[in-house]
Amino acid sequence: MKFIIQKDYLVQSVQDVMKAVSSRTTIPILTGIKIVATTEGVTLTGSDSDISIESFIPAEEAGSEIVEIRQPGSIVLQARFFSEIVKKLPKDTVEIEVQNHLSTVIRSGKAEFNLNGLDAEEYPHLPQVEEENMFRIPTDLLKNMIRQTVFAVSVSETRPILTGVNWKVESGQLHCTATDSHRLAMRKASIEMENQDTYNVVIPGKSLNELSKILDDTNELVDIVITENQVLFKTKHLLFFSRLLDGNYPDTSRLIPNESKTDVVITTKDLLQSIDRASLLGEGKNNVVKLSTLPEGVIEVSSNTPEIGKVIEEIQSQSIEGEELKISFSAKYMIDALKALDSTEIKVSFTGAMRPFLLRSIDNDSVLHLILPVRTF
Amino acid sequence: MKFIIQKDYLVQSVQDVMKAVSSRTTIPILTGIKIVATTEGVTLTGSDSDISIESFIPAEEAGSEIVEIRQPGSIVLQARFFSEIVKKLPKDTVEIEVQNHLSTVIRSGKAEFNLNGLDAEEYPHLPQVEEENMFRIPTDLLKNMIRQTVFAVSVSETRPILTGVNWKVESGQLHCTATDSHRLAMRKASIEMENQDTYNVVIPGKSLNELSKILDDTNELVDIVITENQVLFKTKHLLFFSRLLDGNYPDTSRLIPNESKTDVVITTKDLLQSIDRASLLGEGKNNVVKLSTLPEGVIEVSSNTPEIGKVIEEIQSQSIEGEELKISFSAKYMIDALKALDSTEIKVSFTGAMRPFLLRSIDNDSVLHLILPVRTF
């Protein structure tokens, strides 16, 4: 294998596949990055066996040469060293050449590195995914859907299925739902698909976080292919594979109350900042704060940690309809939900102090957050 | 105590004194910030008993009111909570009022915090420092002198005196020296002083790092007062006290070779980047790299970690004078020294492969770095 490549492309590609490489792996070769050079270009692969990322650098793009392939071939190089080396190379181009015994020379300017490689034949094969049935979402929408749900997955392994986000595809709509059993986040959107396939899978939260990091903020379409145990996200030069979680995701639809007793419409920022202040003196590790309705559309937010102090604040809402209410909840859950609601004004619907309450945008019903209160009153 | 203050001034002042507050202290009241309001303004104090910082906010500055003092007085408030609270207050002004039983109200807009305070009378007194004998340095020069030496202090407590920087004042010159016994950094500068006092003290590296962080990059003069066991740095509205380290600092002047056998003049950036690359494959925890002189002013930098790989690079120097040389040293020490030398070109003076070598600016002799080689050849 021998090729000369534009450094910037190599650095970006290495950085992308590094997201899948873990230093803690039971399969030693997975601490490496697989490099395959063909006449079409160079493909890099990183994997921790849960997530696999493949990045392709074409030999030529828009008429200009990015890689000059001298000799096709392949090698696996230690990811940690290789990624640091390419970042620090002195010139704009890099020559990479595998010599005898897998020893690999990386040349740039007058700097010459020599890394001991591993045989690419021994690198595990990526999952085989049939690309017949797929659907498509714009990249920026996909990133938003991830951001607005993934924060609510469980961080505890008690119920492993809850560490993932439930993706349901039905009638041309994608529903993403995450819950840690104390709060729930749901986001739905229309998708482009050619058939009427339905899916119901659970994607690990970690995978979605990593995917979100390597996707650019463009509106180009991402192809998504779901199989029995894998999901593949495909952009122009990137393949992102994640395994799916085994098991049945709980039916969350029955958790969502259909009616409400108190409805508050309020400016998101006012509520967010007030809860944020109250959280400073919120009780316990969940920073419990209290919310009470007062006459004339005033909301009172308060918290109290007896040994430290207390805080009380009034905010003016747009409107309060229904019963009077006093309720306590985790400031953290509330802040997470308010940050995920990309809406200037929101509606909060309560069904009494002991029942879960809902947060929604007033403009549309594509996002929904549910929070379980804490019993203190 | 009751006053109304511009939030920005309070936030800045709290942030400054927080640098001295430690959550791990054996004196509980030191987890607090002392606030004293007089008709002149408000003084905040933070301390971990090694470092004490006092920040003064004048009632009036340049004709505009910063603090409106309603009732002089004092209180100690939990630093962690108080600092978070003031940052998150909704309005540009804050009212702080001590009510009965040390309970303190912090009001801004419609937010009202209530913190349990402590009696300011119980807060330890700051060291008494006679301000008769002092010298002065511009703030930016002081920050440079700290930056160029403090990195070389010892991080091990085996010889506590080496965790500090030796400050010597003699004949209107300040010499700052730090060494961890493997390398040494020295910086000298002329200072403004009215008398011919001499000093020889050791200031904890940690204190200098914290001082550097709270000083702005101005050329305003800092007053420095040294006493038997304290040093005080004084700017317009800030007092920074640090205890001094007990014990005698070793005489480092005899470590510095007077003659050299090989002198290399080289562009700092070329050498720095090359060493940085070689350090990636440097051996052992100190990332040992090798440097060899070649004919025609060429320097070869190399390293080798057998199980991973090796790197070799040639760089063109301005000149090499004297004997041929092969020497090994810690890449980390070399990188630290090269970064601290604010000079485009430097001179490196070697006295053989087993002797310490010197790095100096080619323009001036105010900075000097010494590094002990590692025996590998």
Side-chain angles (χ1 to χ4, degrees):
Chain A
M1 188 186 81
K2 183 173 179 177
F3 60 86
I4 297 160
I5 190 166
Q6 304 281 342
K7 186 177 71 172
D8 292 350
Y9 283 83
L10 183 62
V11 169
Q12 181 61 53
S13 226
V14 168
Q15 199 178 309
D16 285 347
V17 303
M18 276 296 281
K19 296 274 189 312
V21 179
S22 162
S23 50
R24 292 169 302 167
T25 171
T26 48
I27 308 167
I29 202 167
L30 291 186
T31 59
I33 289 176
K34 183 169 79 159
I35 305 171
V36 178
T38 66
T39 48
E40 280 83 50
V42 173
T43 304
L44 303 186
T45 308
S47 176
D48 67 356
S49 75
D50 282 347
I51 300 174
S52 301
I53 302 174
E54 198 177 287
S55 171
F56 177 68
I57 306 167
E60 204 184 287
E61 194 175 56
S64 66
E65 184 174 63
I66 298 162
V67 195
E68 184 192 335
I69 307 285
R70 296 273 178 90
Q71 168 90 52
S74 61
I75 191 76
V76 174
L77 297 177
Q78 282 302 308
R80 190 162 65 86
F81 291 97
F82 183 58
S83 64
E84 286 298 313
I85 287 168
V86 296
K87 263 190 279 183
K88 292 189 170 172
L89 291 173
K91 298 289 175 188
D92 292 340
T93 60
V94 189
E95 182 183 316
I96 299 183
E97 181 180 4
V98 178
Q99 295 176 329
N100 44 8
H101 303 299
L102 308 169
S103 167
T104 305
V105 178
I106 304 163
R107 257 183 228 105
S108 181
K110 291 200 168 172
E112 185 174 307
F113 286 84
N114 222 300
L115 283 184
N116 306 334
L118 294 166
D119 187 351
E121 293 297 315
E122 285 166 25
Y123 195 87
H125 290 288
L126 289 197
Q128 292 299 310
V129 170
E130 290 282 338
E131 298 186 21
E132 277 176 24
N133 296 319
M134 60 162 81
F135 58 93
R136 291 196 179 86
I137 325 181
T139 311
D140 43 9
L141 175 59
L142 174 61
K143 288 183 75 169
N144 263 332
M145 295 187 79
I146 295 173
R147 180 180 60 81
Q148 293 180 314
T149 52
V150 75
F151 68 87
V153 301
S154 173
V155 290
S156 138
E157 287 289 337
T158 325
R159 290 180 67 189
I161 196 81
L162 297 187
T163 62
V165 180
N166 181 215
W167 279 37
K168 262 191 194 161
V169 174
E170 222 174 65
S171 324
Q173 281 240 321
L174 169 64
H175 286 249
C176 303
T177 308
T179 180
D180 60 6
S181 75
H182 301 291
R183 40 104 175 248
L184 176 147
M186 191 282 297
R187 172 72 155 98
K188 62 181 177 190
S190 297
I191 52 174
E192 281 186 34
M193 65 193 300
E194 278 142 29
N195 50 43
Q196 285 299 313
D197 287 346
T198 62
Y199 300 98
N200 187 349
V201 296
V202 185
I203 307 175
K206 183 175 174 296
S207 301
L208 292 170
N209 276 322
E210 295 303 332
L211 171 66
S212 196
K213 281 185 213 157
I214 65 172
L215 291 177
D216 295 326
D217 287 304
T218 68
N219 54 9
E220 278 177 44
L221 291 170
V222 182
D223 292 351
I224 302 173
V225 185
I226 293 176
T227 70
E228 205 184 336
N229 53 19
Q230 290 283 332
V231 55
L232 163 61
F233 299 88
K234 201 175 160 188
T235 67
K236 200 173 170 201
H237 293 312
L238 208 70
L239 299 181
F240 184 103
F241 297 85
S242 167
R243 74 175 172 97
L244 298 172
L245 292 178
D246 280 336
N248 291 317
Y249 201 77
D251 176 14
T252 53
S253 60
R254 63 194 170 74
L255 295 175
I256 297 160
N258 294 317
E259 42 173 29
S260 65
K261 292 184 178 163
T262 315
D263 286 301
V264 177
V265 174
I266 194 164
T267 304
T268 317
K269 196 176 147 198
D270 290 350
L271 185 58
L272 175 58
Q273 293 183 342
S274 167
I275 301 281
D276 192 25
R277 279 188 283 273
S279 77
L280 294 174
L281 297 175
E283 239 186 321
K285 72 173 171 48
N286 282 321
N287 295 68
V288 173
V289 299
K290 294 180 188 181
L291 182 148
S292 314
T293 57
L294 298 183
E296 292 175 21
V298 174
I299 295 288
E300 184 189 276
V301 174
S302 64
S303 67
N304 187 3
T305 301
E307 59 278 25
I308 311 289
K310 60 187 179 185
V311 51
I312 188 163
E313 179 167 358
E314 290 184 0
I315 35 175
Q316 184 64 49
S317 70
Q318 280 2 68
S319 69
I320 303 177
E321 280 171 18
E323 298 177 4
E324 270 183 45
L325 177 84
K326 284 177 197 287
I327 193 168
S328 296
F329 48 81
S330 151
K332 183 185 179 313
Y333 293 166
M334 189 63 152
I335 291 169
D336 285 348
L338 291 170
K339 284 185 178 165
L341 276 160
D342 292 334
S343 176
T344 319
E345 292 207 330
I346 54 155
K347 183 178 186 175
V348 195
S349 305
F350 301 94
T351 326
M354 299 306 182
R355 305 287 298 280
F357 59 94
L358 293 180
L359 294 99
R360 261 181 291 225
S361 164
I362 55 158
D363 316 320
N364 66 72
D365 67 346
S366 68
V367 188
L368 180 145
H369 295 281
L370 175 144
I371 296 174
L372 265 70
V374 174
R375 293 171 192 236
T376 59
F377 279 107
Chain B
M1 186 186 83
K2 183 174 179 180
F3 60 83
I4 296 160
I5 190 166
Q6 304 280 343
K7 187 177 73 174
D8 292 351
Y9 282 84
L10 183 62
V11 169
Q12 181 61 53
S13 226
V14 168
Q15 198 178 310
D16 285 348
V17 303
M18 276 298 280
K19 296 274 190 311
V21 179
S22 163
S23 51
R24 292 169 302 169
T25 169
T26 49
I27 309 166
I29 202 166
L30 290 186
T31 60
I33 289 177
K34 184 169 79 161
I35 305 171
V36 179
T38 66
T39 48
E40 278 84 49
V42 173
T43 305
L44 303 187
T45 308
S47 176
D48 67 356
S49 75
D50 283 346
I51 299 174
S52 301
I53 303 174
E54 197 177 291
S55 170
F56 177 68
I57 306 167
E60 204 186 287
E61 195 175 56
S64 67
E65 186 175 62
I66 299 163
V67 195
E68 184 193 334
I69 306 286
R70 295 273 178 90
Q71 168 89 52
S74 60
I75 192 74
V76 174
L77 297 178
Q78 282 304 308
R80 190 162 65 86
F81 291 97
F82 184 58
S83 64
E84 285 299 313
I85 288 168
V86 297
K87 262 190 279 182
K88 292 189 171 173
L89 291 174
K91 299 288 174 188
D92 292 342
T93 59
V94 189
E95 182 183 316
I96 298 182
E97 181 181 3
V98 179
Q99 296 177 329
N100 44 7
H101 302 298
L102 308 170
S103 167
T104 304
V105 178
I106 303 162
R107 255 184 230 104
S108 181
K110 292 199 169 173
E112 185 175 307
F113 286 84
N114 222 300
L115 283 184
N116 306 332
L118 295 165
D119 188 351
E121 292 299 314
E122 285 166 24
Y123 196 87
H125 289 286
L126 288 196
Q128 293 299 309
V129 169
E130 291 279 340
E131 297 186 21
E132 277 178 23
N133 297 318
M134 61 162 81
F135 58 93
R136 290 194 181 87
I137 324 180
T139 310
D140 45 7
L141 175 59
L142 174 60
K143 288 184 76 166
N144 263 333
M145 295 187 79
I146 294 173
R147 179 179 61 82
Q148 293 179 315
T149 52
V150 76
F151 68 87
V153 301
S154 173
V155 290
S156 137
E157 286 289 336
T158 325
R159 289 180 68 189
I161 196 82
L162 296 187
T163 62
V165 180
N166 181 215
W167 279 38
K168 262 190 194 165
V169 174
E170 221 174 65
S171 326
Q173 282 241 322
L174 167 65
H175 287 248
C176 304
T177 308
T179 179
D180 61 6
S181 77
H182 302 289
R183 40 100 175 253
L184 175 148
M186 192 283 295
R187 173 71 156 97
K188 63 182 176 187
S190 296
I191 51 175
E192 281 186 34
M193 65 192 301
E194 276 142 29
N195 52 42
Q196 285 299 312
D197 287 346
T198 62
Y199 299 98
N200 188 347
V201 296
V202 185
I203 306 175
K206 182 175 174 297
S207 301
L208 293 169
N209 275 323
E210 295 302 333
L211 172 66
S212 198
K213 281 183 212 159
I214 65 171
L215 292 176
D216 295 326
D217 286 303
T218 68
N219 55 10
E220 277 176 44
L221 291 171
V222 181
D223 292 351
I224 302 172
V225 185
I226 292 175
T227 70
E228 205 184 334
N229 53 19
Q230 289 283 334
V231 55
L232 163 61
F233 298 88
K234 201 178 163 186
T235 67
K236 200 173 169 201
H237 293 310
L238 208 70
L239 300 182
F240 184 104
F241 297 85
S242 168
R243 77 178 169 93
L244 298 173
L245 291 178
D246 280 336
N248 291 317
Y249 202 78
D251 177 15
T252 52
S253 60
R254 62 192 171 74
L255 295 175
I256 296 158
N258 294 316
E259 40 172 33
S260 65
K261 291 184 178 165
T262 315
D263 286 301
V264 176
V265 174
I266 194 162
T267 305
T268 316
K269 197 177 145 197
D270 291 349
L271 184 59
L272 175 59
Q273 293 183 342
S274 166
I275 300 280
D276 192 25
R277 277 188 283 274
S279 77
L280 294 174
L281 298 175
E283 237 187 321
K285 73 173 169 58
N286 282 322
N287 294 65
V288 173
V289 298
K290 294 181 187 185
L291 182 149
S292 314
T293 59
L294 298 183
E296 294 176 22
V298 173
I299 296 287
E300 183 188 275
V301 174
S302 64
S303 67
N304 187 2
T305 300
E307 60 278 27
I308 310 290
K310 60 187 179 183
V311 50
I312 188 164
E313 180 167 358
E314 291 185 358
I315 34 177
Q316 186 62 49
S317 70
Q318 283 354 74
S319 67
I320 302 176
E321 280 173 17
E323 298 177 5
E324 269 182 45
L325 176 84
K326 284 178 196 287
I327 192 167
S328 296
F329 47 81
S330 151
K332 183 188 180 315
Y333 292 167
M334 190 63 154
I335 290 169
D336 284 348
L338 290 170
K339 284 184 177 167
L341 276 159
D342 293 333
S343 176
T344 319
E345 292 207 329
I346 53 154
K347 184 177 186 175
V348 195
S349 306
F350 301 92
T351 326
M354 301 304 184
R355 307 286 301 276
F357 60 93
L358 292 180
L359 295 100
R360 260 179 292 225
S361 163
I362 57 158
D363 316 319
N364 66 70
D365 67 346
S366 67
V367 188
L368 181 145
H369 295 280
L370 176 144
I371 296 173
L372 266 69
V374 174
R375 292 169 193 235
T376 58
F377 280 106

